[in-house]
């Protein structure tokens, strides 16, 4: 892995663990095993490096979601797979974590990266929900856009509740609740 890649990955991990404000250039350099000169050779400073790391996290969010939402099966099956997919629940969402940092939301490039990832997710969920509505898997009156927003909000809120409790249980209950709202029987989820 190149020095630039090590710097991006180290920054991505530190941002996920500590947030933007809690991530210092020194911590990035130590984690990456790179000197100050190497860091500033590849990036103009922490903001540029953090933006590259956030873009990488956003790409990961999209790839993970698309692996389920674009996979085989009906819409309900794909959404269920996505909601129940393995996650590091107690670490939270690496993209959602950034939305809580005032320095991130105050920076147009970083804010757009975070918001863009969530806009994409809501749009992709809406497409799958609309497909399921058309195919009769969901009620004809389903508001696909609103339901997509609810699913994204439940996931992000579930992460927060789980972190606060120090347990994945609140996240799992939130996901079970949204599946119930979608009319996907709990027995099907447990199977």
């Amino acid at each position: 892995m190149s020095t630039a890649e090590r710097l991006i990955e180290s920054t991505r991990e530190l941002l996920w663990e500590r947030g933007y404000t809690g991530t210092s250039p020194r911590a990035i350099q130590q984690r990456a095993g790179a000197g100050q000169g190497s860091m500033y050779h590849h990036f103009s400073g922490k903001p540029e490096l953090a933006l590259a790391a956030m873009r990488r996290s956003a790409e990961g969010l999209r790839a993970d979601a698309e692996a389920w939402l674009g996979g085989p099966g009906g819409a309900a099956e794909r959404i269920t797979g996505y909601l129940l997919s393995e996650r590091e629940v107690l670490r939270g969402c690496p993209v959602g974590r950034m939305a809580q940092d005032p320095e991130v939301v105050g920076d147009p490039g970083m804010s757009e990266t975070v918001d863009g990832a969530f806009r994409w997710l809501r749009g992709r969920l809406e497409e799958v929900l609309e497909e399921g509505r058309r195919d009769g898997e969901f009620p004809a009156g389903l508001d696909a856009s609103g339901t997509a927003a609810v699913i994204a909000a439940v996931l992000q809120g579930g992460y927060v509740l789980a972190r606060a409790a120090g347990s994945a249980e609140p996240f799992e209950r939130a996901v079970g609740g949204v599946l119930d709202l979608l009319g996907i029987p709990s027995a099907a989820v447990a199977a």
Side-chain angles (χ1 to χ4, degrees):
M1 183 182 299
S2 72
T3 301
E5 283 296 310
R6 285 196 327 270
L7 286 163
I8 291 169
E9 275 304 305
S10 296
T11 303
R12 194 183 73 73
E13 286 292 321
L14 286 164
L15 290 172
W16 194 2
E17 292 168 17
R18 303 177 183 182
Y20 183 83
T21 303
T23 299
S24 69
R26 182 172 171 83
I28 295 167
Q29 293 161 19
Q30 286 177 335
R31 175 120 359 143
Q36 184 175 357
S38 292
M39 181 174 151
Y40 291 104
H41 171 75
H42 294 287
F43 302 96
S44 63
K46 177 182 165 182
E48 183 184 13
L49 179 52
L51 180 58
M54 285 180 217
R55 286 179 176 151
R56 176 78 48 88
S57 290
E59 290 166 8
L61 180 144
R62 285 190 293 273
D64 291 347
E66 188 58 32
W68 290 100
L69 299 175
E77 181 181 355
R78 293 180 351 242
I79 287 175
T80 301
Y82 172 63
L83 288 171
L84 297 177
S85 65
E86 190 171 325
R87 294 176 166 83
E88 294 185 64
V89 173
L90 295 180
R91 287 187 76 189
C93 173
V95 177
R97 175 110 162 88
M98 296 299 94
Q100 300 169 30
D101 196 310
E103 289 188 55
V104 171
V105 295
D107 178 277
M110 288 188 245
S111 180
E112 172 54 32
T113 298
V114 171
D115 184 45
F118 288 128
R119 277 195 323 268
W120 177 87
L121 179 61
R122 289 189 312 269
R124 189 66 180 103
L125 285 165
E126 182 178 351
E127 290 171 3
V128 176
L129 289 162
E130 182 61 31
E131 175 189 323
R133 188 195 59 73
R134 279 193 317 266
D135 293 347
E137 292 183 69
F138 299 122
L142 178 80
D143 173 4
S145 177
T147 304
V150 166
I151 292 170
V154 164
L155 287 174
Q156 292 304 307
Y159 283 125
V160 171
L161 295 173
R163 285 177 58 96
S167 165
E169 190 267 339
F171 181 91
E172 292 162 358
R173 286 181 55 90
V175 166
V178 82
L179 289 171
D180 285 345
L181 291 172
L182 289 170
I184 299 170
S186 297
V189 173

